[in-house]
Amino acid sequence: MITQVRPPQPVTIGALAPLTRPGWVEAGRHLLAGLELAVGEVNDGGGIGGRPLELMVRDTAADPRRAAAAVDELAQLGVAAVAGEYHSVVARAAAARADALGLPFLCSSAVLDALTEEPTEWVARLSPPQSHGWRVYTDFLLDAGHSRIAVATEPSVYWASGVRILRDHLTPRGGTVVELDARALTPAAVCDALVDHRATALLLLVGLPEPAVSIVRSVRRDQRLTETMIGAPAGQPEFAEWATLLGGDGAAIPFLRYLPGRLGPLGARVGTALRERLSEEPSFVAFEGYDTITVLADVLRSHGTDRARIAASWPHVAVEGTRGQIRFSRTPGISVWQWARTPVQVVDRDPAEPSRLRIRHAG
């Protein structure tokens, strides 16, 4: 009698990403590419104690309720942890549900400071808190001579938080921030308001493609605003869609990204693999996805698949990621375990070559 050997049961991780509209699909695609690349490398190296690592991917479509329901489903399916998500408001819903269920959640890319209402042991995050990244961006604005700032906004906890950070950081240094409601104003009316308020910079705290694309085109074509800087701290110009939609009009619009000035050997190797997988230049979001699995694989190998032990391991993580060594700590004002040394840059697309990114400021 031949005894049939059963293959080892996989270790499963739930993965959340915006893969359909109205989610930021390109960000979701890059995030998933990083997650999947790292999972493949983990399995090529023997998996987790001989067990293959497997992703259970769920599309959040930028819907907080859909994300919360996905966390419920993944918890019932027995995942060891949940990872991913790009949109801050969606990640907040996922984090709240994971905390309530006692399910470890490693957030890859969402930056909203208040990712959970109360401090939690179950959630950790790789991306920097919004208060840090946007303060770096504010320093860039002031260094570039911009203190009269206008922001085109839409209703969102994330955008409102960004306006508050900008105002809190600018006002003590003599700066001003005026809000322009992108729902109520046409792009032409936004241009008129910029002239009326004598703003030297307009920040786009709005969705992509619309109304961001229409606002950029209107400002670029308004002869009164030839010296007005357009900025997009949330990172809309990071992705190829921006350059495809706007061409040269989308250049010289500074935005935040979370990469070091120069990648080390691991980051360079992963960047090459991501470029081949995506058939385009990988965004920082793809590196965040890869680092997420790198951290979780290390935790799973060291502490096993018990959820409580995974959550208890956050303060002991010391993993070499694509963008530096990753360690989690408690950061004042942040309710989750936080990688405190995430690199932050302000970059833009070179007007002479929009496919090339220029580093304008680092913090």
Side-chain angles (χ1 to χ4, degrees):
M1 180 178 177
I2 300 175
T3 302
Q4 193 169 23
V5 179
R6 292 182 179 180
Q9 285 291 105
V11 177
T12 56
I13 293 173
L16 305 176
L19 301 175
T20 55
R21 296 288 186 187
W24 202 335
V25 175
E26 195 169 5
R29 187 169 67 87
H30 280 233
L31 176 60
L32 188 58
L35 293 167
E36 291 178 336
L37 174 64
V39 166
E41 292 185 2
V42 168
N43 288 333
D44 288 344
I48 307 298
R51 299 169 62 187
L53 189 61
E54 185 178 282
L55 289 180
M56 290 186 177
V57 180
R58 296 296 182 269
D59 173 22
T60 64
D63 184 338
R65 289 173 297 183
R66 187 164 171 171
V71 172
D72 281 338
E73 179 199 3
L74 292 164
Q76 292 171 2
L77 290 172
V79 299
V82 174
E85 193 46 48
Y86 175 79
H87 296 286
S88 282
V89 176
V90 179
R92 190 181 186 192
R97 199 71 198 117
D99 181 42
L101 294 171
L103 178 62
F105 174 34
L106 179 52
C107 181
S108 302
S109 197
V111 300
L112 193 66
D113 280 37
L115 203 56
T116 56
E117 291 293 337
E118 300 293 337
T120 176
E121 301 296 323
W122 294 97
V123 183
R125 174 167 56 188
L126 288 174
S127 50
Q130 188 181 16
S131 57
H132 174 60
W134 287 48
R135 280 198 299 266
V136 170
Y137 195 91
T138 306
D139 289 339
F140 159 73
L141 291 174
L142 291 168
D143 289 349
H146 298 290
S147 59
R148 299 182 67 87
I149 311 299
V151 293
T153 65
E154 292 180 307
S156 163
V157 172
Y158 175 61
W159 299 130
S161 173
V163 172
R164 185 170 59 253
I165 294 163
L166 291 166
R167 185 169 280 128
D168 288 349
H169 205 47
L170 275 166
T171 302
R173 299 159 79 179
T176 59
V177 178
V178 58
E179 293 185 62
L180 308 176
D181 188 342
R183 298 173 306 163
L185 298 175
T186 65
V190 169
C191 292
D192 291 339
L194 291 174
V195 174
D196 292 342
H197 291 286
R198 295 183 291 119
T200 65
L202 170 67
L203 305 187
L204 302 171
L205 310 191
V206 295
L208 181 71
E210 293 298 337
V213 169
S214 294
I215 292 173
V216 170
R217 285 177 175 154
S218 291
V219 173
R220 293 297 199 209
R221 283 155 179 70
D222 194 314
Q223 292 301 309
R224 301 171 298 173
L225 302 173
T226 54
E227 300 300 317
T228 302
M229 190 202 86
I230 306 174
Q236 295 95 323
E238 168 78 11
F239 299 96
E241 179 185 16
W242 179 268
T244 300
L245 291 170
L246 282 165
D249 283 345
I253 297 181
F255 61 94
L256 285 167
R257 71 170 179 174
Y258 309 124
L259 289 175
R262 178 173 296 178
L263 292 167
L266 173 62
R269 178 184 67 75
V270 170
T272 298
L274 287 168
R275 200 170 294 111
E276 293 174 356
R277 180 176 286 258
L278 290 163
S279 299
E280 63 186 18
E281 195 65 25
S283 69
F284 69 85
V285 181
F287 289 93
E288 288 174 327
Y290 184 94
D291 286 344
T292 300
I293 296 300
T294 300
V295 169
L296 286 174
D298 182 77
V299 167
L300 290 165
R301 291 189 187 107
S302 302
H303 299 274
T305 59
D306 177 78
R307 291 173 178 175
R309 292 187 65 189
I310 292 171
S313 75
W314 299 138
H316 308 294
V317 165
V319 176
E320 193 63 33
T322 59
R323 299 164 297 147
Q325 188 173 67
I326 298 168
R327 293 178 179 269
F328 297 120
S329 60
R330 285 298 192 188
T331 300
I334 307 300
S335 60
V336 302
W337 286 99
Q338 178 70 52
W339 182 23
R341 299 185 65 84
T342 313
V344 177
Q345 298 175 341
V346 179
V347 303
D348 69 2
R349 292 185 175 274
D350 188 343
E353 187 182 342
S355 62
R356 189 175 76 87
L357 298 179
R358 308 181 298 182
I359 299 175
R360 303 286 303 277
H361 187 81

